[in-house]
Amino acid sequence: MTKIKTMMTKIMLGAMTVTTLLATSAGASAATKPTVGDNAPEIRTSIQLSDRPNAGIQPARIHLQRITTKKISSQVQTAVNASALNLDNQHDDRQLK
């Protein structure tokens, strides 16, 4: 059972990595491809900034809790287990139909 769980964890992490890489690649290619033709009208814009902006500094305190790598690992494992269980349930649902 432990071997299957370890294998499923590796598969899920690999699938998430591949999905992230593909999504990043798709976003990058979409951002570099022109979306308009050569006959698009030229648009000129101008922005005026004040010499003395009227922005105040507002300090904020952030309180972080100490956390161990074991707790982070446990949270990641819980998320992977939940995802694997969800996929398993979806697979069972498809088989029942």
Side-chain angles (χ1 to χ4, degrees):
M1 185 66 181
T2 306
K3 287 183 180 181
I4 293 173
K5 187 177 178 182
T6 303
M7 184 178 68
M8 284 303 296
T9 302
K10 289 180 181 179
I11 289 171
M12 289 301 299
L13 290 174
M16 287 188 284
T17 302
V18 169
T19 303
T20 303
L21 290 174
L22 290 174
T24 304
S25 174
S29 68
T32 57
K33 290 182 182 175
T35 56
V36 295
D38 292 334
N39 57 358
E42 184 177 330
I43 299 173
R44 294 181 184 258
T45 59
S46 63
I47 299 173
Q48 304 248 340
L49 299 176
S50 173
D51 292 339
R52 300 185 69 146
N54 190 10
I57 297 174
Q58 298 176 354
R61 286 191 168 193
I62 300 173
H63 298 283
L64 300 177
Q65 296 177 351
R66 292 195 179 272
I67 190 165
T68 62
T69 55
K70 187 172 184 176
K71 189 169 184 178
I72 293 172
S73 175
S74 173
Q75 289 174 349
V76 169
Q77 186 64 46
T78 302
V80 169
N81 288 346
S83 181
L85 181 62
N86 185 23
L87 288 174
D88 191 39
N89 288 341
Q90 288 177 4
H91 182 70
D92 288 344
D93 289 345
R94 282 192 213 120
Q95 285 181 338
L96 294 174
K97 290 181 182 179

